[in-house]
Amino acid sequence: MKRFLIALGVFCCWFFLGVLFMNTTGAVDQSSLFASKVVKPKNFDSAPGDTIPTEFVPFIEEDPRENDTNTVFQETDTFMVNNLSRGNEQLVEDLTRSIQEKKRELAEDLEKLRNVKKNTNATEVAPRTFDALFYPEFKHARFVVDQKATSFLSFVKQKLAADANLHIKVVGHTDYIGDKEDNYMLALDEAKKVREFLIKSLKLPDNQVSAYSSGETEPIYDRDSENRELNHRIEIYFE
């Protein structure tokens, strides 16, 4: 009997301590230690005295490492976008230059194919009147000072020796190969480079030499002629 009373006293003490602990931690008001939110659904059909069941939503703690990972990904994306932007500018420039070169090569091949199919005899266009005809050499879009350029410069120098006030008109021409607008700009660019060559070599004032373009509109040989490449030329007029 004595042992029973002792055991009962120990049980009561532990029970009291357990109730006190649950009341302190708030576990008495929660059905689960892992529940953070109690959702009480509305039931409009229930009677005033009915008990409304409760639904427990488990508490999910956010992992701080996930925010760090997202930050790393954002910084990586920003770095890649900045580098790609700088690389794309150079890529676009290279592609544009390559497309222009391929476009002219394709036009040349189409012109050759068309001439092979037609297989016609060369016919010369009505002669034109000019003071000098010059076929300059260009490499990588730069004017080449070769023997032809030296001879051409001597000829112009002799003309100016006879009359130093002569105005020099430089007109660029191209063949039919390529787009008409592209040929116009090409002839103008080459005429400007010949003009700069004359001004610097002969130390002429800028207003004494002018540059123009006729593109492919004034050929001296028919487009089916074997000499059609000679349409790509520079004409000089002294006025």
Side-chain angles (χ1 to χ4, degrees):
M1 184 67 181
K2 184 178 180 179
R3 292 180 178 178
F4 175 76
L5 292 175
I6 293 173
L8 181 61
V10 172
F11 173 77
C12 290
C13 290
W14 280 108
F15 178 78
F16 177 75
L17 291 174
V19 172
L20 181 62
F21 173 76
M22 294 179 66
N23 187 35
T24 302
T25 58
V28 175
D29 298 331
Q30 301 178 4
S31 299
S32 172
L33 294 176
F34 299 96
S36 62
K37 184 177 179 182
V38 178
V39 181
K40 295 182 179 181
K42 296 181 180 180
N43 187 359
F44 298 98
D45 298 334
S46 60
D50 293 345
T51 302
I52 300 176
T54 60
E55 178 182 355
F56 299 97
V57 178
F59 174 75
I60 301 176
E61 184 178 358
E62 293 184 359
D63 189 353
R65 293 175 297 179
E66 183 177 354
N67 294 331
D68 295 340
T69 304
N70 292 336
T71 303
V72 172
F73 284 149
Q74 292 175 358
E75 293 177 353
T76 303
D77 292 341
T78 303
F79 176 78
M80 292 178 65
V81 168
N82 292 336
N83 282 274
L84 286 174
S85 298
R86 289 191 293 267
N88 284 342
E89 294 178 359
Q90 183 63 34
L91 179 61
V92 170
E93 183 178 350
D94 293 340
L95 288 176
T96 302
R97 187 184 303 108
S98 177
I99 289 173
Q100 291 176 349
E101 293 176 356
K102 297 298 182 182
K103 184 178 179 181
R104 184 164 182 85
E105 291 177 1
L106 179 61
E108 291 177 355
D109 292 339
L110 291 175
E111 184 73 11
K112 291 177 181 179
L113 180 61
R114 191 183 67 84
N115 290 324
V116 168
K117 289 182 178 180
K118 291 189 67 173
N119 194 21
T120 56
N121 295 327
T123 56
E124 189 171 348
V125 178
R128 292 175 49 79
T129 302
F130 44 78
D131 295 309
L133 191 61
F134 179 39
Y135 291 93
E137 186 73 20
F138 294 94
K139 287 186 178 180
H140 305 292
R142 292 184 178 181
F143 180 81
V144 178
V145 182
D146 54 7
Q147 183 62 37
K148 292 187 298 182
T150 304
S151 300
F152 168 70
L153 186 63
S154 299
F155 170 76
V156 176
K157 191 174 182 179
Q158 291 176 2
K159 296 288 291 186
L160 292 177
D163 187 354
N165 295 322
L166 286 175
H167 179 81
I168 304 173
K169 181 178 178 181
V170 182
V171 183
H173 298 267
T174 65
D175 50 26
Y176 291 100
I177 297 175
D179 183 74
K180 182 180 294 186
E181 295 181 0
D182 292 341
N183 286 337
Y184 177 85
M185 297 305 299
L186 175 62
L188 180 61
D189 180 68
E190 293 179 350
K192 288 180 177 180
K193 290 175 180 176
V194 173
R195 172 182 176 271
E196 293 176 1
F197 169 68
L198 292 175
I199 291 175
K200 291 180 180 180
S201 301
L202 301 177
K203 297 180 181 180
L204 301 174
D206 292 344
N207 60 359
Q208 191 172 356
V209 186
S210 57
Y212 301 91
S213 172
S214 292
E216 61 182 51
T217 60
E218 298 178 354
I220 55 177
Y221 293 95
D222 186 75
R223 67 185 305 162
D224 298 319
S225 170
E226 294 179 356
N227 297 323
R228 62 185 178 277
E229 293 182 357
L230 297 178
N231 289 326
H232 195 171
R233 69 199 186 277
I234 295 291
E235 291 181 354
I236 303 295
Y237 299 86
F238 295 98
E239 301 174 343

